[in-house]
Amino acid sequence: MPLHVDGARFFNASVALGLTPRQLAEPADSVAFCLSKGLACPVGSLVVGSKEFIHRAWRGRKLVGGGMRQVGVLAAAGLVALGNGPDGMIDRLAEDHANARLLAEGLASMDAIESPGGLAQPAPGPLDPARPPPTS
């Protein structure tokens, strides 16, 4: 049975787990990810897989009316989003994770900040910065 990874925040997961995107995607037959979730691209999602799978996905998108014209400027932002090094966004994700951890620890140290319980953590009480954030 084919395995598809629908990872809106695929690159965040790659950085958080210390795996290359290739290592994270290796068990899957196809992967979808978003360029605007943490990668500073205004819009865009991609699907990656075999040539046959991509053709079927492209055809399905066309059948339901998908497609945009004149998206070159958006494609340029996508290249920056996927870039490595100082000109790209993927290497920056570790900095985002560190800043989020610093904010969580700061909030957890404040007596007036408590969780009502529910999605972020199961029980009411002080925030737990060690708890992973909910995914969307």
Side-chain angles (χ1 to χ4, degrees):
M1 175 176 288
L3 173 65
H4 175 74
V5 174
D6 185 18
R9 289 181 174 82
F10 179 80
F11 290 97
N12 285 78
S14 168
V15 169
L17 294 170
L19 298 172
T20 66
R22 180 182 299 271
Q23 290 170 316
L24 189 58
E26 197 164 37
D29 298 290
S30 58
V31 177
F33 55 86
C34 184
L35 297 177
S36 65
K37 303 273 173 74
L39 296 177
C41 188
V43 297
S45 292
L46 281 96
V47 64
V48 181
S50 69
K51 192 173 194 176
E52 178 187 332
F53 175 80
I54 296 301
H55 178 73
R56 287 180 29 227
W58 177 81
R59 177 138 170 78
R61 181 183 63 108
K62 289 290 188 185
L63 287 172
V64 296
M68 294 176 67
R69 297 185 181 277
Q70 302 185 9
V71 295
V73 72
L74 296 176
L79 291 174
V80 170
L82 291 174
N84 285 316
D87 295 331
M89 294 281 110
I90 294 172
D91 290 346
R92 258 196 73 258
L93 290 173
E95 181 183 339
D96 286 352
H97 291 196
N99 286 335
R101 169 72 57 189
L102 187 63
L103 176 61
E105 289 171 355
L107 289 171
S109 71
M110 302 170 108
D111 292 334
I113 305 292
E114 289 198 3
S115 171
L119 184 62
Q121 58 188 41
L127 295 177
D128 179 5
R131 187 166 176 78
T135 60
S136 63

